[in-house]
Amino acid sequence: MASTARFDVVAIGNAIVDVLARADDALIEAEGLVKGSMRLIDAEEAARLYAAMGPAVEMSGGSAANTLAGMAALGERCAFIGQVADDQLGQVFTHDLRALGVAYDTPPLAGGAPTARCLILVTPDGQRTMNTFLGASHLLEQAMIDEELIAASEILYLEGYLWDPELSRAAMRRAIDVARGAGRKVAFTLSDAFIIDRHGEDFRALIAAGLFDILFANEVEIKALAGEEDFEAAVAKIAPQVPLLVVTRSEKGAIAITGGARTEVGAEPIDAVVDTTGAGDLFAAGFLSGHAEGRPIADCLTMGAVCAREIIAQVGPRAQTDLKAKVAARLG
């Protein structure tokens, strides 16, 4: 039976503009940063670190928004809920998302915190170290949750990063209730181990309650969630608790487990890793697009791997190549 949903996916996430700059390992060490990690910073630290960065490039980002950008490029119907301020960066974010064909109508915040930005230091090995000032994005309130939009979307996709602030956490809980009440699926991405450190009990409770239909994680995150040092032990612990578990493993590929059946794919070949920013976001874009099209799990994983490869071969989290053509060339 054909879907009556207006959108394939509606996502809730941080509305962020990324500021990317090349950096050597010495700067990472001098700043006391953990390479490849993400941390939250305040406005003062954002200003200080920005001054220490080299020449930078600004582009719209945000984990869930990046996923939707990839999905839209693959031809899926997408909508976004997220908070920007009524300022220049907010206008840039809104324009960029709408220009990709993503429906985005969350009213901007008038006054108060500015639009969020993520200062990303990219080292020669392609690793990105993210320093995020959440600004207006963490002020997403329940009143901004478009319940009709959620009910009209096949999948509600939630970004773990946005679980940290109290206001947006409450908004996302409400969105889950709306989606479940409308008989829609809920997909959740864990985002980062530090989020699990802070909110692991919440996530484990939501999983135990059966509120997530699809769970995305990477190797570090699944071990943190399960409280296991061994990858296979972690997967064995979490997989029976969710209908569909998807775990990325960088150069080792990715796995999906559903109904006890495990599917694996290898990473797509690449000449050189330029920047890993958005790799997980675009993997989710490819996987969810395949899922929306009713493809087999192996194809969904392959689509994710293709999209991830394209994004790590360039600078920035928004694809500069034709993702649809790349997927078609790979899968036919």
Side-chain angles (χ1 to χ4, degrees):
M1 185 174 68
S3 171
T4 58
R6 179 183 172 196
F7 294 102
D8 297 305
V9 171
V10 57
I12 302 178
N14 282 313
I16 296 178
V17 175
D18 290 339
V19 182
L20 298 102
R22 292 288 181 186
D24 54 25
D25 289 340
L27 178 60
I28 301 295
E29 293 173 8
E31 291 291 335
L33 304 176
V34 177
K35 186 164 70 170
S37 67
M38 197 286 276
R39 65 169 181 150
L40 298 177
I41 58 176
D42 58 20
E44 183 179 350
E45 173 65 2
R48 190 199 63 75
L49 184 58
Y50 182 66
M53 294 170 66
V57 176
E58 295 180 353
M59 57 184 68
S60 295
S63 177
N66 291 338
T67 295
L68 293 187
M71 292 191 70
L74 290 169
E76 315 308 333
R77 303 164 300 160
C78 305
F80 181 71
I81 298 172
Q83 190 70 67
V84 296
D86 188 11
D87 56 19
Q88 184 176 1
L89 287 183
Q91 293 169 10
V92 167
F93 180 91
T94 300
H95 170 269
D96 287 353
L97 207 54
R98 289 176 177 171
L100 293 169
V102 176
Y104 176 45
D105 297 308
T106 307
L109 187 68
T115 295
R117 70 284 318 266
C118 182
L119 307 181
I120 303 175
L121 300 173
V122 184
T123 42
D125 59 0
Q127 286 294 312
R128 79 284 185 270
T129 304
M130 301 186 292
N131 305 270
T132 305
F133 169 54
L134 289 171
S137 70
H138 76 290
L139 300 178
L140 180 71
E141 298 184 2
Q142 289 191 53
M144 294 297 102
I145 298 301
D146 186 334
E147 298 188 4
E148 291 185 3
L149 178 62
I150 292 170
S153 303
E154 285 285 3
I155 296 174
L156 169 66
Y157 180 68
L158 301 174
E159 173 188 330
Y161 284 130
L162 198 57
W163 199 263
D164 203 52
E166 185 177 350
L167 269 179
S168 55
R169 184 163 64 249
M172 293 171 88
R173 283 187 180 277
R174 176 57 188 159
I176 291 172
D177 289 343
V178 173
R180 304 302 303 188
R184 302 303 188 181
K185 291 183 178 179
V186 178
F188 191 86
T189 178
L190 291 170
S191 294
D192 197 283
F194 101 90
I195 295 291
I196 300 168
D197 289 342
R198 295 163 67 98
H199 303 289
E201 288 188 13
D202 268 1
F203 299 159
R204 286 183 281 270
L206 291 166
I207 290 169
L211 297 182
F212 295 157
D213 298 283
I214 306 172
L215 181 66
F216 288 93
N218 64 25
E219 193 165 357
V220 173
E221 293 158 4
I222 197 68
K223 289 192 287 187
L225 182 68
E228 299 282 353
E229 290 294 327
D230 180 72
F231 173 72
E232 293 298 338
V235 169
K237 186 173 182 178
I238 301 299
Q241 301 182 58
V242 290
L244 175 54
L245 173 66
V246 183
V247 186
T248 57
R249 307 187 70 190
S250 299
E251 72 277 1
K252 291 177 280 189
I255 69 169
I257 300 178
T258 180
R262 176 169 174 155
T263 307
E264 299 190 39
V265 300
E268 292 290 305
I270 184 171
D271 292 332
V273 175
V274 176
D275 173 18
T276 56
T277 305
D281 305 337
L282 269 292
F283 183 93
F287 188 94
L288 287 172
S289 293
H291 186 77
E293 295 167 10
R295 293 177 180 254
I297 292 294
D299 283 1
C300 296
L301 287 169
T302 298
M303 289 175 69
V306 169
C307 291
R309 178 196 63 198
E310 292 303 302
I311 218 67
I312 65 176
Q314 62 167 59
V315 173
R318 301 286 172 92
Q320 298 161 25
T321 56
D322 187 339
L323 292 182
K324 197 168 188 178
K326 296 291 184 178
V327 167
R330 179 66 173 80
L331 292 178

